[in-house]
Amino acid sequence: MFFGITAGRFDACHLLRRRLAPAVARYAMPTAVLLKGLLPAGLVAALVPGAILPTVTAISTLAAHLFTSGRTYVIWLLLGASLAMNLWGLALALAFLACAALKCPNESLILLSGPLLGVGMVLTPGRMHDDVRCIWVFLVLVSCLAYLARGPIRRHRTFISRLSPIAVCLVAVFTLFVANHVLIGRAGFAGVTVCEQLVSGPPTAQVVAITFDDGPDPEYTPEVLRVLREHCVKAAFFLVGRKVLLYPEIARQIADEGHVIGNHSYTHRDLGKLGALALACEIDWTQRAIEEVCGVTPTMFRPPRGITSPTLLQQLADRKLVLALWTVSSRDWMQLSPGAIASGITRRAAAGDVYLFHDSGDFITAAGANRTSTVLTLPRVIKGLGDRGLTVVGLDAMLAAAREQSWCEQLNLKRLREEEKQLAAAAQRAAALSRLQLAP
């Protein structure tokens, strides 16, 4: 954010005007604003793999520019940031829009901005898999429309002010929807837990576990398996059923190399809002796919993004599946640098930790993101954990140790207390009934 504010405050326009000839001095402002977007995001994109940090830098620079320099030539700023993030189609559409904005009235450009940016997205399909970049495209569209529509907004501000109650209602509905979504997710861990859960291993044993979600992936899963094989480490892979059928050779390789295989749903949907029948399909179809392809029957289930519901937990209990969660996320979905991911894990490593990685998947879906940082991080993480005296074991070994020491039950103290209260109440009722029967 500091980098973005610095780039926003930096005014290269005066410097360029001093260097340029008077005939072309009018291009100093667009060039300066273009550099404001290009330099910060480009520098971060060159140093850090992935899409999130360059996008965050671009958004910070955009916010700094709007707060410090106004809305002047904001399309040129968006153009520079899009170029820095290699969104060539979007940058081309923005370049046409920015040049047209110098000559054409804004009202006519408003109608062109949507189709132009849509074409820009189509021209760069390989760059639009990451959700953060899609957020950036959405932000570009909104910013361009707000910038180009500033004249009509001023002229019709009375009418727009009348629509403000509707906007407030829409925001309130959206807030309630998000709040309900969060409550549904948390409801799975409230009240009585009917299935066995594994969040961490017993702290008495100096062991940790590494897990991977969203695979198998033809590009990154073989690389992850190579690193694990070189370091003689066993991990757990929670596989998406649909991808198991798409890439059976890779799924079979995971099983052949002795790694634990878990169920990660069939379609990687949000399971917190599904009914019993849909949840049964998500679980059973994946179980069947893994059994047919890998020859093993998963005993552990991990819901996408860890979102559960009471119905899901009941479905897992009926099938005697363990709800396997994690204690520490590597945050590799943010596509941080390998050093940042490794230091975030090893600095706070403790016995019993279960680490969450991804060998596929982006922020929302089960495929599409760049997992190069994850592959490069693994050797550092394994070495760092070893230096701290921790041994990486399979999740099945950790589950066995947790069961042996009743650690899984200790994680559900609330359920145990409720069961004890119910047994005590039942004993009291039985004793009272026997006294009544014995009374003359």
Side-chain angles (χ1 to χ4, degrees):
M1 188 64 180
F2 175 76
F3 201 108
I5 292 175
T6 304
R9 286 187 176 276
F10 178 66
D11 191 359
C13 182
H14 296 296
L15 298 176
L16 289 173
R17 280 177 177 167
R18 293 175 185 175
R19 298 291 181 181
L20 297 176
V24 294
R26 62 194 180 107
Y27 297 108
M29 178 65 80
T31 306
V33 178
L34 178 68
L35 292 175
K36 279 185 181 181
L38 180 62
L39 294 179
L43 180 62
V44 175
L47 297 177
V48 181
I52 288 188
L53 289 184
T55 307
V56 170
T57 304
I59 293 174
S60 303
T61 306
L62 175 63
H65 176 80
L66 293 176
F67 281 117
T68 59
S69 306
R71 292 173 296 185
T72 308
Y73 295 111
V74 70
I75 299 180
W76 292 92
L77 183 78
L78 299 173
L79 169 61
S82 299
L83 282 172
M85 292 186 287
N86 297 325
L87 300 175
W88 304 108
L90 183 62
L92 181 64
L94 282 169
F96 182 84
L97 193 64
C99 294
L102 296 175
K103 302 292 184 182
C104 303
N106 291 338
E107 287 79 356
S108 58
L109 287 176
I110 294 174
L111 301 177
L112 291 175
S113 60
L116 278 175
L117 297 177
V119 170
M121 291 181 63
V122 173
L123 291 177
T124 50
R127 300 287 181 177
M128 303 314 301
H129 289 304
D130 297 327
D131 295 287
V132 229
R133 296 192 185 236
C134 294
I135 293 172
W136 172 250
V137 172
F138 175 76
L139 183 65
V140 166
L141 178 61
V142 173
S143 301
C144 289
L145 288 175
Y147 174 71
L148 296 174
R150 62 191 185 279
I153 288 175
R154 289 196 196 100
R155 288 197 298 270
H156 303 287
R157 57 179 176 270
T158 303
F159 174 74
I160 294 174
S161 63
R162 295 175 182 173
L163 298 178
S164 57
I166 299 177
V168 171
C169 292
L170 292 176
V171 172
V173 170
F174 179 75
T175 305
L176 290 174
F177 171 78
V178 173
N180 181 61
H181 182 79
V182 173
L183 290 175
I184 289 176
R186 290 182 176 178
F189 302 99
V192 179
T193 303
V194 296
C195 72
E196 187 179 13
Q197 294 186 30
L198 178 67
V199 181
S200 65
T204 54
Q206 296 296 309
V207 296
V208 294
I210 295 177
T211 66
F212 296 89
D213 285 7
D214 299 348
D217 183 88
E219 184 174 1
Y220 299 110
T221 304
E223 290 298 310
V224 169
L225 292 173
R226 176 186 58 79
V227 174
L228 297 176
R229 187 167 55 250
E230 290 175 354
H231 291 81
C232 300
V233 168
K234 300 301 179 184
F237 290 80
F238 289 88
L239 305 183
V240 178
R242 184 170 56 184
K243 298 183 70 177
V244 170
L245 299 179
L246 285 175
Y247 311 111
E249 297 84 4
I250 303 174
R252 199 174 295 115
Q253 182 184 359
I254 297 172
D256 292 342
E257 295 191 8
H259 299 287
V260 179
I261 293 181
N263 187 325
H264 197 49
S265 80
Y266 189 80
T267 60
H268 202 268
R269 298 168 62 189
D270 182 357
L271 305 184
K273 298 178 292 185
L274 299 184
L277 181 59
L279 289 172
C281 294
E282 290 282 342
I283 298 171
D284 295 339
W285 290 354
T286 306
Q287 291 285 99
R288 191 178 305 119
I290 293 175
E291 289 172 359
E292 293 177 355
V293 172
C294 304
V296 297
T297 301
T299 59
M300 288 178 276
F301 180 88
R302 176 176 289 172
R305 295 178 292 282
I307 299 175
T308 67
S309 68
T311 307
L312 173 60
L313 296 183
Q314 185 61 53
Q315 294 286 332
L316 298 180
D318 294 342
R319 291 161 177 78
K320 294 182 172 54
L321 291 173
V322 179
L323 177 66
L325 299 176
W326 62 90
T327 53
V328 179
S329 172
S330 66
R331 296 183 299 161
D332 57 348
W333 54 269
M334 292 180 64
Q335 298 181 343
L336 302 173
S337 64
I341 298 175
S343 62
I345 289 178
T346 56
R347 187 174 63 250
R348 299 172 297 172
D353 281 347
V354 177
Y355 300 111
L356 169 66
F357 288 88
H358 299 81
D359 57 333
S360 183
D362 53 26
F363 184 60
I364 295 177
T365 62
N370 188 322
R371 294 293 172 227
T372 303
S373 293
T374 302
V375 177
L376 297 177
T377 298
L378 281 177
R380 304 187 188 188
V381 170
I382 295 171
K383 182 179 182 302
L385 294 174
D387 293 341
R388 295 180 68 91
L390 299 171
T391 304
V392 181
V393 299
L395 200 60
D396 55 347
M398 182 170 285
L399 177 62
R403 284 172 171 169
E404 182 179 351
Q405 301 185 25
S406 301
W407 180 248
C408 294
E409 295 300 323
Q410 293 175 25
L411 295 176
N412 296 318
L413 291 177
K414 184 175 181 180
R415 177 173 66 86
L416 288 177
R417 294 193 186 100
E418 290 183 351
E419 289 180 354
E420 290 173 357
K421 290 180 181 178
Q422 292 174 1
L423 291 174
Q428 290 177 359
R429 287 195 299 268
L433 182 61
S434 62
R435 286 196 298 268
L436 289 175
Q437 291 176 349
L438 295 175

Short mmCIF file of all heavy atoms in Angstrom, two decimals, residues 37-94:
data_model
loop_
_atom_site.label_atom_id
_atom_site.label_comp_id
_atom_site.label_asym_id
_atom_site.label_seq_id
_atom_site.Cartn_x
_atom_site.Cartn_y
_atom_site.Cartn_z
N GLY A 37 1.02 3.74 -13.34
CA GLY A 37 0.45 2.40 -13.28
C GLY A 37 1.42 1.32 -13.70
O GLY A 37 1.41 0.21 -13.16
N LEU A 38 2.30 1.64 -14.67
CA LEU A 38 3.19 0.63 -15.25
C LEU A 38 4.33 0.27 -14.31
O LEU A 38 4.64 -0.91 -14.10
CB LEU A 38 3.74 1.13 -16.58
CG LEU A 38 4.70 0.21 -17.33
CD1 LEU A 38 4.00 -1.09 -17.69
CD2 LEU A 38 5.24 0.89 -18.57
N LEU A 39 4.98 1.27 -13.70
CA LEU A 39 6.19 1.00 -12.93
C LEU A 39 5.94 0.20 -11.65
O LEU A 39 6.62 -0.81 -11.43
CB LEU A 39 6.89 2.33 -12.62
CG LEU A 39 7.44 3.07 -13.84
CD1 LEU A 39 8.09 4.37 -13.42
CD2 LEU A 39 8.44 2.19 -14.59
N PRO A 40 5.00 0.59 -10.78
CA PRO A 40 4.84 -0.20 -9.54
C PRO A 40 4.39 -1.63 -9.80
O PRO A 40 5.00 -2.58 -9.29
CB PRO A 40 3.78 0.58 -8.75
CG PRO A 40 3.74 1.93 -9.36
CD PRO A 40 4.09 1.75 -10.78
N ALA A 41 3.33 -1.80 -10.60
CA ALA A 41 2.82 -3.15 -10.84
C ALA A 41 3.82 -3.97 -11.64
O ALA A 41 3.98 -5.18 -11.41
CB ALA A 41 1.49 -3.08 -11.58
N GLY A 42 4.53 -3.33 -12.58
CA GLY A 42 5.52 -4.06 -13.37
C GLY A 42 6.70 -4.53 -12.54
O GLY A 42 7.21 -5.63 -12.72
N LEU A 43 7.14 -3.69 -11.61
CA LEU A 43 8.26 -4.08 -10.74
C LEU A 43 7.88 -5.26 -9.86
O LEU A 43 8.65 -6.22 -9.72
CB LEU A 43 8.67 -2.88 -9.88
CG LEU A 43 9.83 -3.12 -8.90
CD1 LEU A 43 11.10 -3.48 -9.66
CD2 LEU A 43 10.05 -1.87 -8.05
N VAL A 44 6.68 -5.22 -9.28
CA VAL A 44 6.24 -6.33 -8.42
C VAL A 44 6.03 -7.59 -9.25
O VAL A 44 6.39 -8.69 -8.82
CB VAL A 44 4.95 -5.94 -7.67
CG1 VAL A 44 4.42 -7.12 -6.87
CG2 VAL A 44 5.22 -4.77 -6.74
N ALA A 45 5.45 -7.45 -10.44
CA ALA A 45 5.22 -8.63 -11.30
C ALA A 45 6.54 -9.28 -11.72
O ALA A 45 6.61 -10.50 -11.90
CB ALA A 45 4.42 -8.22 -12.53
N ALA A 46 7.60 -8.45 -11.88
CA ALA A 46 8.89 -9.01 -12.26
C ALA A 46 9.58 -9.73 -11.10
O ALA A 46 10.34 -10.67 -11.31
CB ALA A 46 9.79 -7.90 -12.78
N LEU A 47 9.31 -9.30 -9.87
CA LEU A 47 9.99 -9.87 -8.71
C LEU A 47 9.22 -11.01 -8.06
O LEU A 47 9.81 -11.89 -7.43
CB LEU A 47 10.24 -8.78 -7.66
CG LEU A 47 11.17 -7.65 -8.10
CD1 LEU A 47 11.27 -6.60 -6.99
CD2 LEU A 47 12.56 -8.17 -8.44
N VAL A 48 7.87 -11.00 -8.19
CA VAL A 48 7.03 -11.96 -7.47
C VAL A 48 6.20 -12.75 -8.48
O VAL A 48 5.48 -12.15 -9.28
CB VAL A 48 6.09 -11.24 -6.49
CG1 VAL A 48 5.24 -12.24 -5.73
CG2 VAL A 48 6.89 -10.40 -5.52
N PRO A 49 6.28 -14.09 -8.47
CA PRO A 49 5.42 -14.86 -9.36
C PRO A 49 3.98 -14.82 -8.91
O PRO A 49 3.68 -14.69 -7.73
CB PRO A 49 5.99 -16.29 -9.24
CG PRO A 49 6.62 -16.32 -7.89
CD PRO A 49 7.14 -14.93 -7.64
N GLY A 50 3.08 -14.95 -9.86
CA GLY A 50 1.66 -14.96 -9.51
C GLY A 50 0.98 -13.66 -9.89
O GLY A 50 1.56 -12.75 -10.48
N ALA A 51 -0.30 -13.58 -9.53
CA ALA A 51 -1.11 -12.46 -9.96
C ALA A 51 -1.56 -11.56 -8.82
O ALA A 51 -1.89 -10.40 -9.04
CB ALA A 51 -2.36 -12.97 -10.69
N ILE A 52 -1.57 -12.05 -7.59
CA ILE A 52 -2.23 -11.31 -6.53
C ILE A 52 -1.46 -10.05 -6.14
O ILE A 52 -2.02 -8.96 -6.09
CB ILE A 52 -2.45 -12.21 -5.30
CG1 ILE A 52 -3.54 -13.22 -5.62
CG2 ILE A 52 -2.83 -11.41 -4.08
CD1 ILE A 52 -4.00 -14.04 -4.47
N LEU A 53 -0.16 -10.18 -5.87
CA LEU A 53 0.59 -9.01 -5.41
C LEU A 53 0.65 -7.91 -6.46
O LEU A 53 0.48 -6.73 -6.13
CB LEU A 53 1.99 -9.44 -4.97
CG LEU A 53 2.04 -10.24 -3.67
CD1 LEU A 53 3.47 -10.52 -3.27
CD2 LEU A 53 1.32 -9.52 -2.54
N PRO A 54 0.91 -8.21 -7.76
CA PRO A 54 0.83 -7.13 -8.75
C PRO A 54 -0.55 -6.48 -8.82
O PRO A 54 -0.66 -5.27 -9.00
CB PRO A 54 1.18 -7.84 -10.07
CG PRO A 54 1.98 -9.01 -9.66
CD PRO A 54 1.42 -9.45 -8.36
N THR A 55 -1.60 -7.29 -8.66
CA THR A 55 -2.95 -6.73 -8.70
C THR A 55 -3.20 -5.83 -7.50
O THR A 55 -3.77 -4.75 -7.63
CB THR A 55 -3.99 -7.86 -8.74
OG1 THR A 55 -3.69 -8.74 -9.81
CG2 THR A 55 -5.39 -7.29 -8.94
N VAL A 56 -2.77 -6.27 -6.32
CA VAL A 56 -2.92 -5.44 -5.12
C VAL A 56 -2.15 -4.14 -5.27
O VAL A 56 -2.62 -3.06 -4.90
CB VAL A 56 -2.47 -6.22 -3.88
CG1 VAL A 56 -2.39 -5.31 -2.67
CG2 VAL A 56 -3.41 -7.38 -3.61
N THR A 57 -0.94 -4.23 -5.83
CA THR A 57 -0.14 -3.02 -6.06
C THR A 57 -0.84 -2.08 -7.03
O THR A 57 -0.87 -0.86 -6.84
CB THR A 57 1.24 -3.40 -6.59
OG1 THR A 57 1.87 -4.30 -5.67
CG2 THR A 57 2.12 -2.16 -6.75
N ALA A 58 -1.41 -2.65 -8.10
CA ALA A 58 -2.12 -1.82 -9.07
C ALA A 58 -3.33 -1.14 -8.44
O ALA A 58 -3.60 0.04 -8.68
CB ALA A 58 -2.54 -2.67 -10.26
N ILE A 59 -4.09 -1.88 -7.63
CA ILE A 59 -5.26 -1.29 -6.97
C ILE A 59 -4.83 -0.20 -5.99
O ILE A 59 -5.46 0.86 -5.90
CB ILE A 59 -6.07 -2.39 -6.26
CG1 ILE A 59 -6.67 -3.35 -7.30
CG2 ILE A 59 -7.17 -1.79 -5.40
CD1 ILE A 59 -7.38 -4.54 -6.70
N SER A 60 -3.72 -0.44 -5.26
CA SER A 60 -3.22 0.57 -4.33
C SER A 60 -2.79 1.82 -5.07
O SER A 60 -3.05 2.95 -4.62
CB SER A 60 -2.05 0.00 -3.52
OG SER A 60 -2.43 -1.16 -2.83
N THR A 61 -2.13 1.63 -6.20
CA THR A 61 -1.69 2.79 -6.99
C THR A 61 -2.89 3.56 -7.53
O THR A 61 -2.90 4.79 -7.55
CB THR A 61 -0.81 2.31 -8.15
OG1 THR A 61 0.26 1.52 -7.63
CG2 THR A 61 -0.22 3.50 -8.90
N LEU A 62 -3.91 2.81 -7.97
CA LEU A 62 -5.12 3.47 -8.46
C LEU A 62 -5.79 4.28 -7.35
O LEU A 62 -6.18 5.44 -7.57
CB LEU A 62 -6.09 2.40 -9.00
CG LEU A 62 -7.47 2.89 -9.45
CD1 LEU A 62 -7.34 3.86 -10.60
CD2 LEU A 62 -8.36 1.73 -9.82
N ALA A 63 -5.89 3.68 -6.15
CA ALA A 63 -6.49 4.40 -5.03
C ALA A 63 -5.67 5.63 -4.67
O ALA A 63 -6.22 6.71 -4.41
CB ALA A 63 -6.63 3.47 -3.83
N ALA A 64 -4.33 5.49 -4.66
CA ALA A 64 -3.48 6.62 -4.33
C ALA A 64 -3.62 7.73 -5.36
O ALA A 64 -3.64 8.92 -5.02
CB ALA A 64 -2.03 6.16 -4.23
N HIS A 65 -3.71 7.35 -6.62
CA HIS A 65 -3.86 8.36 -7.67
C HIS A 65 -5.18 9.11 -7.53
O HIS A 65 -5.23 10.33 -7.67
CB HIS A 65 -3.78 7.68 -9.04
CG HIS A 65 -4.00 8.61 -10.19
ND1 HIS A 65 -3.02 9.44 -10.67
CD2 HIS A 65 -5.10 8.84 -10.95
CE1 HIS A 65 -3.51 10.16 -11.67
NE2 HIS A 65 -4.76 9.80 -11.87
N LEU A 66 -6.23 8.38 -7.23
CA LEU A 66 -7.54 9.03 -7.12
C LEU A 66 -7.60 9.95 -5.91
O LEU A 66 -8.24 11.01 -5.94
CB LEU A 66 -8.64 7.96 -7.02
CG LEU A 66 -8.85 7.12 -8.29
CD1 LEU A 66 -9.89 6.05 -8.04
CD2 LEU A 66 -9.27 7.99 -9.46
N PHE A 67 -6.91 9.55 -4.82
CA PHE A 67 -6.96 10.38 -3.61
C PHE A 67 -6.01 11.58 -3.69
O PHE A 67 -6.25 12.59 -3.05
CB PHE A 67 -6.60 9.53 -2.38
CG PHE A 67 -7.73 8.70 -1.90
CD1 PHE A 67 -7.65 7.32 -1.92
CD2 PHE A 67 -8.90 9.28 -1.44
CE1 PHE A 67 -8.70 6.53 -1.48
CE2 PHE A 67 -9.97 8.50 -1.00
CZ PHE A 67 -9.86 7.12 -1.01
N THR A 68 -4.93 11.45 -4.44
CA THR A 68 -3.91 12.50 -4.43
C THR A 68 -3.89 13.34 -5.70
O THR A 68 -3.47 14.49 -5.66
CB THR A 68 -2.52 11.88 -4.24
OG1 THR A 68 -2.26 10.96 -5.31
CG2 THR A 68 -2.43 11.16 -2.91
N SER A 69 -4.30 12.77 -6.82
CA SER A 69 -4.19 13.49 -8.08
C SER A 69 -5.53 13.67 -8.79
O SER A 69 -5.56 14.16 -9.90
CB SER A 69 -3.23 12.75 -9.03
OG SER A 69 -1.99 12.53 -8.39
N GLY A 70 -6.61 13.22 -8.19
CA GLY A 70 -7.90 13.35 -8.85
C GLY A 70 -8.11 12.26 -9.88
O GLY A 70 -7.38 11.28 -9.94
N ARG A 71 -9.10 12.45 -10.75
CA ARG A 71 -9.45 11.43 -11.73
C ARG A 71 -8.84 11.69 -13.10
O ARG A 71 -9.21 11.07 -14.09
CB ARG A 71 -10.97 11.37 -11.87
CG ARG A 71 -11.68 10.84 -10.64
CD ARG A 71 -13.17 10.95 -10.77
NE ARG A 71 -13.59 12.35 -10.86
CZ ARG A 71 -14.86 12.75 -10.87
NH1 ARG A 71 -15.82 11.85 -10.82
NH2 ARG A 71 -15.17 14.02 -10.95
N THR A 72 -7.89 12.61 -13.18
CA THR A 72 -7.35 12.99 -14.48
C THR A 72 -6.65 11.81 -15.14
O THR A 72 -5.74 11.21 -14.57
CB THR A 72 -6.35 14.15 -14.31
OG1 THR A 72 -6.98 15.19 -13.56
CG2 THR A 72 -5.91 14.68 -15.65
N TYR A 73 -7.08 11.51 -16.35
CA TYR A 73 -6.47 10.45 -17.17
C TYR A 73 -6.38 9.12 -16.43
O TYR A 73 -5.38 8.40 -16.52
CB TYR A 73 -5.07 10.88 -17.63
CG TYR A 73 -5.08 12.06 -18.56
CD1 TYR A 73 -4.58 13.29 -18.16
CD2 TYR A 73 -5.59 11.94 -19.85
CE1 TYR A 73 -4.60 14.38 -19.01
CE2 TYR A 73 -5.62 13.02 -20.71
CZ TYR A 73 -5.11 14.24 -20.29
OH TYR A 73 -5.14 15.31 -21.13
N VAL A 74 -7.43 8.76 -15.66
CA VAL A 74 -7.38 7.52 -14.90
C VAL A 74 -7.32 6.30 -15.83
O VAL A 74 -6.78 5.26 -15.46
CB VAL A 74 -8.59 7.44 -13.95
CG1 VAL A 74 -9.88 7.22 -14.72
CG2 VAL A 74 -8.40 6.34 -12.90
N ILE A 75 -7.85 6.42 -17.04
CA ILE A 75 -7.79 5.29 -17.98
C ILE A 75 -6.35 4.98 -18.35
O ILE A 75 -5.98 3.81 -18.53
CB ILE A 75 -8.63 5.60 -19.24
CG1 ILE A 75 -10.09 5.81 -18.85
CG2 ILE A 75 -8.53 4.47 -20.25
CD1 ILE A 75 -10.99 6.13 -20.01
N TRP A 76 -5.51 6.01 -18.43
CA TRP A 76 -4.09 5.77 -18.74
C TRP A 76 -3.41 5.03 -17.59
O TRP A 76 -2.52 4.20 -17.81
CB TRP A 76 -3.38 7.09 -19.03
CG TRP A 76 -3.84 7.73 -20.30
CD1 TRP A 76 -4.84 8.64 -20.44
CD2 TRP A 76 -3.33 7.48 -21.60
NE1 TRP A 76 -4.99 8.99 -21.77
CE2 TRP A 76 -4.06 8.29 -22.51
CE3 TRP A 76 -2.32 6.67 -22.11
CZ2 TRP A 76 -3.82 8.30 -23.87
CZ3 TRP A 76 -2.07 6.69 -23.47
CH2 TRP A 76 -2.81 7.48 -24.33
N LEU A 77 -3.82 5.32 -16.37
CA LEU A 77 -3.28 4.60 -15.22
C LEU A 77 -3.67 3.13 -15.29
O LEU A 77 -2.85 2.23 -15.06
CB LEU A 77 -3.79 5.23 -13.93
CG LEU A 77 -3.26 4.63 -12.64
CD1 LEU A 77 -1.85 5.14 -12.37
CD2 LEU A 77 -4.15 4.96 -11.47
N LEU A 78 -4.92 2.85 -15.59
CA LEU A 78 -5.38 1.47 -15.72
C LEU A 78 -4.66 0.77 -16.87
O LEU A 78 -4.35 -0.43 -16.79
CB LEU A 78 -6.89 1.45 -15.95
CG LEU A 78 -7.76 2.04 -14.82
CD1 LEU A 78 -9.21 2.11 -15.27
CD2 LEU A 78 -7.63 1.23 -13.56
N LEU A 79 -4.38 1.51 -17.93
CA LEU A 79 -3.67 0.94 -19.07
C LEU A 79 -2.26 0.51 -18.66
O LEU A 79 -1.81 -0.60 -19.00
CB LEU A 79 -3.61 1.98 -20.20
CG LEU A 79 -2.68 1.67 -21.38
CD1 LEU A 79 -3.10 0.38 -22.07
CD2 LEU A 79 -2.68 2.83 -22.38
N GLY A 80 -1.56 1.37 -17.91
CA GLY A 80 -0.22 1.01 -17.49
C GLY A 80 -0.20 -0.21 -16.58
O GLY A 80 0.64 -1.11 -16.74
N ALA A 81 -1.13 -0.28 -15.63
CA ALA A 81 -1.18 -1.42 -14.72
C ALA A 81 -1.53 -2.70 -15.47
O ALA A 81 -0.98 -3.78 -15.17
CB ALA A 81 -2.18 -1.16 -13.61
N SER A 82 -2.42 -2.63 -16.44
CA SER A 82 -2.79 -3.82 -17.20
C SER A 82 -1.62 -4.32 -18.05
O SER A 82 -1.42 -5.52 -18.20
CB SER A 82 -4.01 -3.51 -18.09
OG SER A 82 -5.11 -3.14 -17.31
N LEU A 83 -0.85 -3.39 -18.60
CA LEU A 83 0.36 -3.79 -19.33
C LEU A 83 1.35 -4.48 -18.41
O LEU A 83 1.96 -5.49 -18.78
CB LEU A 83 1.01 -2.56 -19.97
CG LEU A 83 0.38 -2.02 -21.25
CD1 LEU A 83 1.04 -0.70 -21.64
CD2 LEU A 83 0.49 -3.03 -22.39
N ALA A 84 1.50 -3.96 -17.20
CA ALA A 84 2.45 -4.54 -16.25
C ALA A 84 2.05 -5.95 -15.86
O ALA A 84 2.91 -6.79 -15.55
CB ALA A 84 2.55 -3.66 -15.01
N MET A 85 0.76 -6.26 -15.85
CA MET A 85 0.28 -7.60 -15.47
C MET A 85 0.09 -8.51 -16.67
O MET A 85 -0.55 -9.56 -16.58
CB MET A 85 -1.02 -7.48 -14.67
CG MET A 85 -0.82 -6.84 -13.31
SD MET A 85 -2.32 -6.86 -12.29
CE MET A 85 -3.30 -5.63 -13.12
N ASN A 86 0.61 -8.09 -17.83
CA ASN A 86 0.58 -8.91 -19.05
C ASN A 86 -0.83 -9.19 -19.56
O ASN A 86 -1.07 -10.20 -20.21
CB ASN A 86 1.31 -10.23 -18.84
CG ASN A 86 2.78 -10.04 -18.54
OD1 ASN A 86 3.41 -9.13 -19.07
ND2 ASN A 86 3.32 -10.87 -17.68
N LEU A 87 -1.77 -8.30 -19.26
CA LEU A 87 -3.13 -8.43 -19.78
C LEU A 87 -3.20 -7.66 -21.09
O LEU A 87 -3.73 -6.56 -21.17
CB LEU A 87 -4.14 -7.90 -18.76
CG LEU A 87 -4.13 -8.60 -17.40
CD1 LEU A 87 -5.08 -7.92 -16.43
CD2 LEU A 87 -4.51 -10.06 -17.56
N TRP A 88 -2.64 -8.27 -22.14
CA TRP A 88 -2.42 -7.54 -23.38
C TRP A 88 -3.73 -7.16 -24.06
O TRP A 88 -3.87 -6.05 -24.60
CB TRP A 88 -1.56 -8.37 -24.33
CG TRP A 88 -0.26 -8.78 -23.73
CD1 TRP A 88 0.11 -10.02 -23.33
CD2 TRP A 88 0.84 -7.92 -23.42
NE1 TRP A 88 1.37 -10.01 -22.79
CE2 TRP A 88 1.86 -8.73 -22.84
CE3 TRP A 88 1.09 -6.55 -23.57
CZ2 TRP A 88 3.07 -8.22 -22.42
CZ3 TRP A 88 2.31 -6.05 -23.16
CH2 TRP A 88 3.28 -6.87 -22.59
N GLY A 89 -4.68 -8.05 -24.09
CA GLY A 89 -5.96 -7.73 -24.72
C GLY A 89 -6.68 -6.60 -24.01
O GLY A 89 -7.21 -5.68 -24.63
N LEU A 90 -6.69 -6.68 -22.68
CA LEU A 90 -7.31 -5.61 -21.90
C LEU A 90 -6.56 -4.30 -22.09
O LEU A 90 -7.17 -3.23 -22.20
CB LEU A 90 -7.33 -6.01 -20.43
CG LEU A 90 -8.01 -5.05 -19.46
CD1 LEU A 90 -9.49 -4.91 -19.79
CD2 LEU A 90 -7.83 -5.51 -18.02
N ALA A 91 -5.23 -4.36 -22.13
CA ALA A 91 -4.45 -3.15 -22.34
C ALA A 91 -4.72 -2.54 -23.71
O ALA A 91 -4.80 -1.31 -23.86
CB ALA A 91 -2.96 -3.46 -22.19
N LEU A 92 -4.89 -3.39 -24.72
CA LEU A 92 -5.20 -2.88 -26.06
C LEU A 92 -6.55 -2.18 -26.09
O LEU A 92 -6.70 -1.09 -26.68
CB LEU A 92 -5.18 -4.05 -27.06
CG LEU A 92 -5.45 -3.69 -28.52
CD1 LEU A 92 -4.35 -2.78 -29.05
CD2 LEU A 92 -5.54 -4.95 -29.37
N ALA A 93 -7.55 -2.79 -25.42
CA ALA A 93 -8.86 -2.15 -25.36
C ALA A 93 -8.80 -0.83 -24.60
O ALA A 93 -9.40 0.17 -25.00
CB ALA A 93 -9.86 -3.10 -24.69
N LEU A 94 -8.03 -0.79 -23.52
CA LEU A 94 -7.89 0.44 -22.75
C LEU A 94 -7.14 1.51 -23.54
O LEU A 94 -7.44 2.70 -23.44
CB LEU A 94 -7.16 0.15 -21.44
CG LEU A 94 -8.00 -0.49 -20.33
CD1 LEU A 94 -7.10 -0.96 -19.20
CD2 LEU A 94 -9.05 0.47 -19.82
#
